[in-house]
Amino acid sequence: MKELNIKQLILSAARTMLRPVIRVLIHNGVTYSEFCKLAKTLFVEVCANDFGLQGRPTNMSRIATMTGIDRKEVKRVKDALKQADLVEDNQNEQDRLTRILSAWHQDISYVDPNGLPLELPLETDDEAKDFTRLVKAYGGDIPVSTILKELLGSDCIEKTPAGTFRVLKRFYVPANNNPESLLRASSVSSEILNTMFHNLYVVGKEKRARPRFERRASNNAIAIKDVVAFERFVEQEGQALLERVDSWLTDHECDVTAEPTEVVRLGVGAYLIRHDKEKLKVSVNNLPGETHD
């Protein structure tokens, strides 16, 4: 009975987490049948990668037992999974774009004596710093023209009347009408949920596993007239925090080309909470001003 209650709790939690996902899928014309195929693929992929015994990959019999999918179908799905992961490849490209914008704000070659980003020409004939050199230094092998088009289209940079380029943002955020926005959203959601999974199921099981920082602050009794002021407050404070985090990460970035070493992806995300579609009630478990762990 206890096990049944736990499963019911998990399914209830999954319902809450999946609701915004389903909303996005329906908005973009994804059908129930297509979602079921995707869910089957993910059940096989996650079970194969994360639930092996003694550090070994999960075999097909164990995958079939844990997921309820027959062995023949498990094999078919595993064969299909050998193809490249589009979302992961896209995340790497987005990281490169943010790396370019961040360098434009921090690399002493691209800022003025006051630490402000310089306006850059597309390219120059001499050794002066220009946009092309910046992209080649921090953008990897992505063509300069592709980077320029994307940063202009997402309003991360602008072209001045003088023909130079001015940086407007320190972090890459895709334009709303760009499919990259959806892929970025999926990456953000995945990182939040991975942190939650780590804190729920890894901490306490592995000796060296430490809880990952995950906090939120919310209040159920804020007047609607204060929403805009709060949004501005979060934008200012959140941007300031992320810029400090970005500076710390830049200071501790290692040069893997000079000395190969094991590296990991580290960072912090920030998001604004707003829920006003249902009537909210203040309860003793969620008093105004409470900070949630």
Side-chain angles (χ1 to χ4, degrees):
M1 187 66 178
K2 183 178 180 181
E3 181 179 353
L4 178 61
N5 290 336
I6 292 176
K7 180 169 286 190
Q8 290 175 338
L9 179 63
I10 293 298
L11 288 173
S12 178
R15 180 185 178 91
T16 300
M17 290 185 286
L18 283 173
R19 185 178 296 276
V21 174
I22 299 301
R23 187 181 297 125
V24 169
L25 295 180
I26 294 175
H27 181 78
N28 288 276
V30 178
T31 66
Y32 167 75
S33 176
E34 291 170 323
F35 174 72
C36 285
K37 292 179 182 179
L38 174 63
K40 180 191 295 184
T41 299
L42 287 172
F43 264 78
V44 172
E45 180 181 17
V46 172
C47 190
N49 294 337
D50 300 346
F51 289 87
L53 299 176
Q54 298 178 344
R56 292 176 295 183
T58 317
N59 61 41
M60 286 194 292
S61 295
R62 180 171 168 82
I63 294 174
T65 300
M66 296 185 71
T67 65
I69 303 171
D70 65 73
R71 294 179 75 253
K72 183 181 295 185
E73 185 66 8
V74 168
K75 183 179 185 305
R76 187 194 69 78
V77 173
K78 286 191 69 176
D79 290 341
L81 285 172
K82 294 179 181 179
Q83 299 179 1
D85 188 331
L86 172 63
V87 173
E88 182 177 349
D89 291 343
N90 181 266
Q91 178 61 50
N92 291 334
E93 291 185 8
Q94 291 187 8
D95 288 346
R96 291 180 182 181
L97 293 170
T98 291
R99 181 180 173 86
I100 292 170
L101 297 174
S102 178
W104 203 338
H105 283 81
Q106 295 189 94
D107 188 326
I108 58 174
S109 298
Y110 297 96
V111 298
D112 64 20
N114 295 319
L116 299 177
L118 296 170
E119 293 183 5
L120 300 176
L122 178 60
E123 57 185 349
T124 57
D125 295 331
D126 53 27
E127 294 299 318
K129 297 299 180 181
D130 54 39
F131 181 80
T132 299
R133 285 188 173 84
L134 174 66
V135 171
K136 290 183 177 180
Y138 292 96
D141 56 358
I142 304 179
V144 175
S145 59
T146 301
I147 295 289
L148 179 63
K149 182 178 179 181
E150 181 59 32
L151 293 181
L152 285 171
S154 57
D155 294 326
C156 290
I157 66 174
E158 66 177 2
K159 190 172 184 178
T160 69
T164 58
F165 295 94
R166 180 187 299 122
V167 63
L168 304 175
K169 298 177 182 178
R170 185 162 174 160
F171 301 94
Y172 171 69
V173 179
N176 290 333
N177 61 348
N178 192 323
E180 305 292 325
S181 299
L182 184 58
L183 293 176
R184 178 181 181 276
S186 69
S187 173
V188 171
S189 301
S190 174
E191 289 170 344
I192 293 173
L193 292 175
N194 281 334
T195 293
M196 294 172 62
F197 181 90
H198 175 87
N199 291 345
L200 284 169
Y201 300 109
V202 178
V203 175
K205 182 179 180 181
E206 299 181 7
K207 291 183 178 180
R208 296 185 178 181
R210 298 179 54 190
R212 295 175 183 171
F213 183 84
E214 185 273 311
R215 302 286 189 275
R216 62 175 177 172
S218 63
N219 190 302
N220 285 348
I222 304 300
I224 193 72
K225 66 181 179 62
D226 291 322
V227 169
V228 174
F230 177 69
E231 291 176 345
R232 291 173 179 168
F233 167 76
V234 171
E235 289 174 3
Q236 293 173 357
E237 296 296 320
Q239 182 67 22
L241 170 62
L242 291 178
E243 289 184 6
R244 291 197 299 272
V245 170
D246 183 57
S247 295
W248 190 98
L249 293 172
T250 300
D251 291 341
H252 292 79
E253 184 178 14
C254 59
D255 185 358
V256 294
T257 60
E259 182 179 354
T261 184
E262 185 177 3
V263 298
V264 297
R265 173 180 166 81
L266 284 179
V268 171
Y271 61 98
L272 186 142
I273 300 170
R274 176 170 175 174
H275 189 184
D276 55 1
K277 291 196 173 183
E278 297 176 8
K279 185 176 180 181
L280 298 173
K281 296 181 179 180
V282 178
S283 70
V284 293
N285 294 321
N286 190 15
L287 297 174
E290 181 180 4
T291 299
H292 309 274
D293 291 348

